[in-house]
Amino acid sequence: CTGLGTQMEFDPELIVPDPELSLADGAIQPWSSDTSTYYQALLEAAGHHYGIPFQTPWKQLSRKQQDIILYGGKREEAIRVRYVNQQGMEREYQTGYEGVIPNLTRRYSETTSDWMRAQIEEMMSERPCPTCGGKRLKPHALAVLVNAMSIFDITRLPITKMMDWVNGLRGINGKPAALH
C-alpha cells in the first residue's frame, strides 16, 4: 500500500452489478459493451469449454463457475474462440482463458492511457491493505510493542489516556519513565 493503508482491488460486485443477468445478457459489465464482441465470444468459448451455461443468470451459477469466469481456468488448457472482428471477418484461434479479473489487472498495469486507467478503476474498490490492515505501517514497525501496545495503538489513544499510559511506564531500572 506504500503507506496509504488501502489498496485498490477489483470488486466482483462492480464487475457483475446485476446478478440477474446471464453471461449472454452482459452480466460481466466491463465486457458487455458493443465494442467488446471479442470478449463476449471469449466468455462464450470459456463457458462452452468449462461447461458453464451462457444463458443462465449469474446468481444461479455455482461459486466454482463464477470463479472460473472471474479468475480463469487452467492456463495450459486451450479454448477455441470464434468471433467476428470490427471489419466483419470471422476469426478463430485457441488460447488460454485468463479470467476477467486477471485480464483487467494486466490491462491496468500495461496501459499508458489515463482514460483506460479511469475506465478500469470503475471496477475497483478501495480496501484495507492486507499487510498492514489499514494501519499504514510496515509489519516490522507494528511488531515493536511497549507494554503490549504498538505505535499504532498508542497514537490512537486519547491524549489523556496516552499520558496515563506514558506515566505508567517503567524504565529498565524499574523507576517511572514519566514525562514532565
Side-chain angles (χ1 to χ4, degrees):
C1 69
T2 64
L4 297 175
T6 60
Q7 289 179 232
M8 294 292 285
E9 290 182 359
F10 286 100
D11 186 338
E13 290 181 8
L14 296 175
I15 291 170
V16 184
D18 186 354
E20 299 287 336
L21 295 177
S22 68
L23 296 172
D25 294 329
I28 306 299
Q29 195 280 326
W31 288 4
S32 66
S33 70
D34 294 337
T35 59
S36 51
T37 56
Y38 165 77
Y39 288 115
Q40 278 297 102
L42 183 61
L43 280 174
E44 190 168 1
H48 182 266
H49 181 82
Y50 293 106
I52 301 169
F54 201 59
Q55 302 292 335
T56 300
W58 178 261
K59 70 178 190 174
Q60 292 178 13
L61 297 178
S62 72
R63 181 72 172 158
K64 182 178 180 182
Q65 291 171 326
Q66 291 177 357
D67 284 348
I68 288 171
I69 295 298
L70 291 176
Y71 301 102
K74 295 179 181 175
R75 299 280 290 169
E76 64 275 0
E77 286 183 348
I79 64 171
R80 183 182 312 269
V81 180
R82 290 186 185 128
Y83 74 102
V84 177
N85 68 16
Q86 291 177 334
Q87 290 78 32
M89 299 175 68
E90 187 171 321
R91 299 285 185 216
E92 181 178 324
Y93 68 97
Q94 290 191 344
T95 185
Y97 178 69
E98 68 181 329
V100 176
I101 291 176
N103 173 272
L104 292 171
T105 301
R106 179 180 51 74
R107 289 171 48 206
Y108 185 76
S109 68
E110 291 174 357
T111 189
T112 58
S113 164
D114 290 338
W115 179 85
M116 180 58 73
R117 216 170 247 286
Q119 291 292 353
I120 294 172
E121 283 175 355
E122 289 181 11
M123 302 298 120
M124 301 170 97
S125 293
E126 195 171 71
R127 309 251 192 224
C129 171
T131 303
C132 73
K135 296 177 181 174
R136 302 175 61 178
L137 293 166
K138 293 181 179 181
H140 61 271
L142 291 168
V144 176
L145 302 179
V146 176
N147 282 5
M149 292 184 76
S150 72
I151 189 169
F152 177 80
D153 299 326
I154 296 163
T155 60
R156 295 190 46 90
L157 291 173
I159 194 71
T160 54
K161 290 192 184 232
M162 185 185 296
M163 288 304 295
D164 290 343
W165 180 83
V166 169
N167 288 329
L169 292 176
R170 299 279 175 217
I172 294 174
N173 59 7
K175 294 183 181 177
L179 299 176
H180 298 287

